[in-house]
C-alpha cells in the first residue's frame, strides 16, 4: 500500500490591508490571503520574516477573524519585551507591506458549527485570539450552540475586544462570559470558582473545551478543568509560550 505524502503548505506573500491598535500592547493586522479554502475557527498561520542576509525568523499567530470573513485574516500581535518578530510588527510593519505566510495550520485546535457543543473557551491574555474566531463564527453560523468564555487578563484595558465580548454576552442567547482580572478590582487569577462559574453558564458539561494562553496558564487551567470534572477527551490546548 502506498502512503499519501503529507500536503506541504506553500509560503505565499500576504499584504497587510489594515493595522489597528487593540490594546496598548496588542495590534491587529489584517492580511489579504488567497487561500482556496477558508480556515476553521481556532487555526493559526505560520509567518516568516527574512533578513537581507538570509536569516529567517518563523512564528505562529492565531487567526482571530472567523472563516465567514472571506479573503482576509486578522492576526493580533502582542508586543513581547525584546521580541524579535512582535517588535517588527509594532515598530515597522505598515499597510501595504507583503509578509510571507503559510496556512492555515493547527487543525486539532479548531471548531466549526458542525462540531456542535456545549463549548467551554478559556483564554489568557492574547490567548483569547483564536477563541474570538470561534465566538465570531458561532454568532455568524451557529448561534444555537452554547458557549462560555472564561477570559483572563491583567486589566480591562489589556483584555482583547472586551467591549465586543461583553456586548455578545448581553445580546447573544447561549453565550456567557466570566472575566477575571489579575491586577485590577478584586485582582484574582482564574481559580476553581471562576471555572465553576463558566461551567454554570453551559446547559450541560462541555463536549469540547479549548484552552489557550501561555504554557503556565494552559497547564494551570487544564488541571482546574479536570478537577471540575471536564472529560479529558474534551480538552484541547494551544500554548503561545
Ligand atoms: C500556535 C501558536 C499561536 C500563537 N498565536 C499568537 C497570537 O495570536 N498572538 C501573539 O501575540 N502571539 C502568538 N503566539 C506566540 C508567537 O508565535 C511568538 O512567540 C510571540 O509573538 C513572540 O515572538 P517574538 O519574536 O516577538 O519574541 P522572541 O524574540 O521569540 O522572544 C520572546 C520572549 O523571549 C525572550 N527571549 C528571547 N530569547 C531569549 C533568550 N535567549 N533568553 C531569555 N529570554 C529570551 C524575549 O525577550 C521575549 O520576551 C502563538 C504561538 C503559537 C505556537
Amino acid at each position: 500500500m502506498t502512503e499519501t505524502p503529507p500536503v506541504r503548505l506553500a509560503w505565499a506573500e500576504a499584504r497587510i490591508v489594515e493595522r489597528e491598535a487593540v490594546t496598548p500592547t496588542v495590534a491587529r493586522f489584517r492580511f489579504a490571503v488567497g487561500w482556496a479554502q477558508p480556515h476553521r475557527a481556532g487555526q493559526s498561520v505560520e509567518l516568516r520574516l527574512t533578513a537581507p542576509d538570509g536569516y529567517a525568523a518563523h512564528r505562529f499567530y492565531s487567526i482571530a477573524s472567523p472563516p465567514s470573513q472571506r479573503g482576509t485574516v486578522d492576526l493580533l500581535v502582542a508586543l513581547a519585551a525584546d521580541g524579535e518578530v512582535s517588535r517588527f510588527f509594532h515598530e515597522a510593519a505598515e499597510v501595504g507591506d507583503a509578509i510571507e505566510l503559510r496556512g492555515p495550520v493547527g487543525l486539532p485546535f479548531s471548531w466549526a458549527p458542525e462540531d456542535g457543543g456545549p463549548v467551554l473557551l478559556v483564554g489568557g491574555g492574547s490567548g483569547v485570539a483564536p477563541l474570538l474566531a470561534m465566538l465570531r463564527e458561532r454568532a455568524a453560523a451557529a448561534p444555537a450552540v452554547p458557549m462560555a468564555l472564561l477570559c483572563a487578563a491583567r486589566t480591562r484595558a489589556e483584555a482583547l475586544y472586551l467591549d465586543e465580548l461583553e456586548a455578545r454576552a448581553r445580546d447573544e442567547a447561549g453565550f456567557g462570559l466570566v472575566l477575571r482580572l489579575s491586577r485590577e478590582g478584586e485582582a484574582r487569577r482564574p481559580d476553581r470558582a471562576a471555572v465553576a462559574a463558566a461551567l454554570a453558564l453551559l446547559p450541560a458539561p462541555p463536549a469540547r473545551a479549548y484552552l489557550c494562553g501561555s504554557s503556565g496558564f494552559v497547564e494551570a487551567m487544564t488541571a482546574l478543568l479536570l478537577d471540575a470534572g471536564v472529560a479529558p477527551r474534551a480538552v484541547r490546548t494551544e500554548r503561545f509560550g
Side-chain angles (χ1 to χ4, degrees):
M1 202 173 77
T2 54
E3 278 189 26
T4 317
V7 179
R8 289 205 64 86
L9 289 165
W11 288 103
E13 288 207 327
R15 209 162 281 284
I16 299 174
V17 295
E18 277 179 40
R19 178 194 164 131
E20 175 198 57
V22 178
T23 72
T25 53
V26 176
R28 174 178 69 83
F29 294 86
R30 177 163 292 174
F31 288 86
V33 290
W35 295 342
Q37 292 287 327
H39 65 285
R40 278 170 56 100
Q43 284 192 282
S44 14
V45 297
E46 189 177 4
L47 181 151
R48 176 167 76 181
L49 299 180
T50 309
D53 66 0
Y55 167 77
H58 293 238
R59 299 290 185 274
F60 289 93
Y61 290 95
S62 298
I63 301 168
S65 49
S68 51
Q69 180 183 302
R70 293 294 177 104
T72 58
V73 295
D74 290 353
L75 307 184
L76 306 181
V77 181
L79 181 61
D82 297 324
E84 201 174 4
V85 170
S86 62
R87 235 183 62 200
F88 163 80
F89 272 95
H90 279 258
E91 292 175 5
E94 296 291 353
V95 169
D97 290 353
I99 308 279
E100 282 188 296
L101 295 185
R102 68 178 173 192
V105 296
L107 210 47
F109 196 82
S110 72
W111 176 85
E114 59 270 23
D115 298 328
V119 178
L120 177 63
L121 308 174
V122 181
S126 48
V128 169
L131 312 180
L132 273 167
M134 295 179 193
L135 287 173
R136 290 166 171 173
E137 180 66 356
R138 170 193 180 272
V145 173
M147 279 197 189
L149 169 64
L150 171 51
C151 172
R154 286 189 290 208
T155 62
R156 282 188 70 85
E158 287 172 279
L160 300 184
Y161 293 99
L162 188 52
D163 290 348
E164 173 184 334
L165 294 174
E166 289 182 331
R168 289 189 186 284
R170 191 180 58 237
D171 303 337
E172 294 175 8
F175 169 60
L177 171 69
V178 174
L179 176 68
R180 269 290 194 277
L181 301 174
S182 60
R183 298 209 186 151
E184 226 174 56
E186 292 184 352
R188 287 163 71 190
R189 284 188 159 191
D191 52 9
R192 205 177 289 267
V195 169
L199 287 171
L201 294 169
L202 297 173
R208 287 166 178 247
Y210 296 88
L211 287 73
C212 186
S214 67
S215 284
F217 175 83
V218 168
E219 263 164 47
M221 296 312 299
T222 301
L224 286 175
L225 257 58
L226 297 179
D227 269 2
V230 173
R233 67 174 179 284
V235 176
R236 290 159 193 243
T237 59
E238 185 104 289
R239 291 150 195 264
F240 280 7

